[in-house]
Amino acid sequence: MTIQRNPTRSVAIGTIQVGHGHPIAVQSMTATKTQDVAATAAQANALHQAGAGVVRVAVDSVKDAEALAELRRHTPANLAVDLQENFRLAERVAPHVNKIRYNPGHLYHHQKDRPWQDKVRFIVDQAVRHDCALRIGVNCGSVDPAKKEKYDAADSITPMLESALEHCEFVDSLGFDRYVVSLKDSDPDKVIEVNRRFAAQRPDVPLHLGVTEAGMPPDGIIKTRIAFEQLIGEGIGDTVRVSLTVPNDRKPEEIAAGRQIIEDIAAGRVRSVVRLNRDQLNIISCPSCSRVENEAFVELAADVKELTRYAQQHAITIAVMGCRVNGPGETDDADLGLWCGPKVVNLKRGEETVGAFPYDQILPRLKQELDQLIAAR
């Protein structure tokens, strides 16, 4: 199967190039605590050996940044760093990584009175100084509030698209073009639509594809495959991430799944006739990563899947999130949402908070809410 790739420019990320016809790179993210350098290095190396073109690491504090400097000495992997809310950490991490990822929707958490343009300029300056690529990463659950307010609440795609295009235009104005863009959602259909629309307007910009909170295998792989087959089959996509909720020692499965999907598309082994059944239960859960505040989250996600088997024929979405960064926002669109803290699980009904419950009490409370929701429908 010959795929005519989009004519994107080439972007160097350490030892690899993405875009401009280069092989599609598969990425993953460490799930260990970044400050545990030995464990994080072991996982980065396992992902690298599995074929990861880039390995992403979360940095949320100065101590994380200090650990990153030590980590760099223990792995040959091309490292990307996820800044999350604290854009100022770019100065500390840039010397030790090959790519910096920032989320436009998270630039408002620190120095709220400072224009976002100043913050992006600071990040770009660090990237230039330390020979780093950038990823402008837009997520459905953390879109720029000003963009969301402009559109109907039912339209989650246009705010994402507008935010990405705005940031591309600004970064271009700084004379920097060594960047890729990602636009992610937990709904494969929305991932397909937003990336198609972006690629139509900016075919020059390499795209990082992913279905965020895809969940546990095999469902998470199926959701991701649906999006990738449609987009890569049309020539859209230059690097990919398969986000799976799996224990730490199984993280290389993300690389294997991504490589298999790409190989299948190239060979014409596609399954695009498969569609998520909109009339059945849908469980989304974020990938295990280093921001998870209690490793019981992964087991809880599996328990939720098992507990809710009796509700398979009901069109209900349950979201299970592992941290405070994505949890509050990315459970809003689910019928029932759980976002996990260090000691309690926060239970939500849509945007409404039901309460916080210990890990050993959350499943019965979730079942109660689920039963009430089924009865009401």
Side-chain angles (χ1 to χ4, degrees):
M1 180 177 179
T2 301
I3 298 172
Q4 185 65 42
R5 301 271 298 280
N6 255 21
T8 59
R9 58 173 172 258
S10 182
V11 171
I13 306 171
T15 61
I16 68 167
Q17 299 271 344
V18 299
H20 196 60
H22 292 286
I24 297 172
V26 182
Q27 304 191 24
S28 185
M29 183 177 181
T30 57
T32 52
K33 298 300 181 185
T34 303
Q35 293 175 43
D36 186 344
V37 174
T40 304
Q43 188 160 91
N45 288 330
L47 292 167
H48 176 68
Q49 290 165 12
V54 179
V55 175
R56 186 156 59 104
V57 180
V59 172
D60 294 331
S61 67
V62 172
K63 287 186 177 180
D64 283 346
E66 292 171 348
L68 183 69
E70 177 67 17
L71 172 66
R72 175 72 283 175
R73 292 192 281 271
H74 295 283
T75 179
N78 295 315
L79 294 180
V81 72
D82 194 348
L83 292 180
Q84 291 302 327
E85 292 98 336
N86 195 345
F87 73 95
R88 292 170 296 185
L89 288 175
E91 185 173 23
R92 291 179 177 268
V93 302
H96 312 297
V97 298
N98 307 104
K99 185 172 73 170
I100 297 171
R101 183 260 183 163
Y102 80 88
N103 182 338
H106 283 162
L107 292 176
Y108 298 84
H109 296 285
H110 286 243
Q111 298 184 13
K112 295 182 179 180
D113 296 333
R114 186 174 176 181
W116 66 262
Q117 291 88 343
D118 286 355
K119 301 173 185 180
V120 173
R121 186 180 290 108
F122 176 79
I123 295 171
V124 170
D125 286 346
Q126 300 308 313
V128 170
R129 184 174 304 171
H130 298 286
D131 192 28
C132 293
L134 290 183
R135 170 154 69 101
I136 301 170
V138 184
N139 270 21
C140 61
S142 50
V143 180
D144 176 352
K147 295 287 183 289
K148 291 180 70 174
E149 290 173 1
K150 291 173 57 178
Y151 299 97
D152 187 283
D155 181 4
S156 62
I157 291 178
T158 305
M160 291 176 61
L161 181 64
E162 187 171 302
S163 181
L165 292 169
E166 179 180 62
H167 277 255
C168 289
E169 182 178 1
F170 180 71
V171 172
D172 288 341
S173 75
L174 299 177
F176 187 84
D177 66 0
R178 193 177 163 189
Y179 66 86
V180 303
V181 166
S182 65
L183 301 113
K184 296 187 179 184
D185 196 285
S186 60
D187 183 334
D189 287 340
K190 290 182 179 180
V191 172
I192 294 167
E193 181 179 348
V194 72
N195 279 279
R196 278 176 174 162
R197 288 171 61 179
F198 179 88
Q201 296 189 56
R202 290 299 305 262
D204 59 308
V205 178
L207 276 166
H208 169 121
L209 303 181
V211 177
T212 189
E213 296 103 35
M216 292 159 281
D219 301 22
I221 297 174
I222 293 170
K223 292 178 184 179
T224 304
R225 179 179 283 275
I226 289 170
F228 287 6
E229 286 183 353
Q230 294 294 321
L231 292 168
I232 295 174
E234 296 172 18
I236 298 169
D238 303 280
T239 179
V240 302
R241 162 88 188 279
V242 180
S243 299
L244 300 177
T245 308
V246 292
N248 285 2
D249 61 351
R250 292 175 55 190
K251 291 300 285 182
E253 290 182 23
E254 293 188 341
I255 304 301
R259 296 180 71 176
Q260 186 65 59
I261 292 171
I262 293 168
E263 289 175 9
D264 286 347
I265 294 170
R269 297 188 296 265
V270 295
R271 310 174 192 175
S272 293
V273 292
V274 177
R275 286 291 181 269
L276 292 178
N277 191 331
R278 302 291 176 176
D279 297 323
Q280 290 189 356
L281 181 73
N282 179 34
I283 298 177
I284 63 174
S285 59
C286 59
S288 43
C289 80
S290 59
R291 291 190 303 270
V292 168
E293 297 180 69
N294 189 325
E295 291 184 6
F297 151 73
V298 175
E299 184 178 347
L300 176 63
D303 289 343
V304 169
K305 183 176 181 179
E306 185 63 30
L307 172 73
T308 58
R309 288 189 184 280
Y310 73 96
Q312 286 297 312
Q313 301 307 313
H314 297 275
I316 293 170
T317 295
I318 299 175
V320 188
M321 300 291 115
C323 75
R324 69 187 184 282
V325 174
N326 295 324
E330 299 196 17
T331 49
D332 281 353
D333 293 333
D335 296 295
L336 295 172
L338 292 81
W339 68 270
C340 302
K343 296 182 179 180
V344 297
V345 179
N346 301 277
L347 177 61
K348 294 171 63 180
R349 187 188 305 112
E351 297 184 10
E352 176 189 352
T353 298
V354 176
F357 304 90
Y359 279 78
D360 61 357
Q361 297 178 21
I362 187 61
L363 291 174
R365 194 64 177 83
L366 172 66
K367 186 177 185 303
Q368 179 181 337
E369 291 293 327
L370 179 58
D371 289 344
Q372 291 176 358
L373 189 57
I374 290 171
R377 293 185 175 185

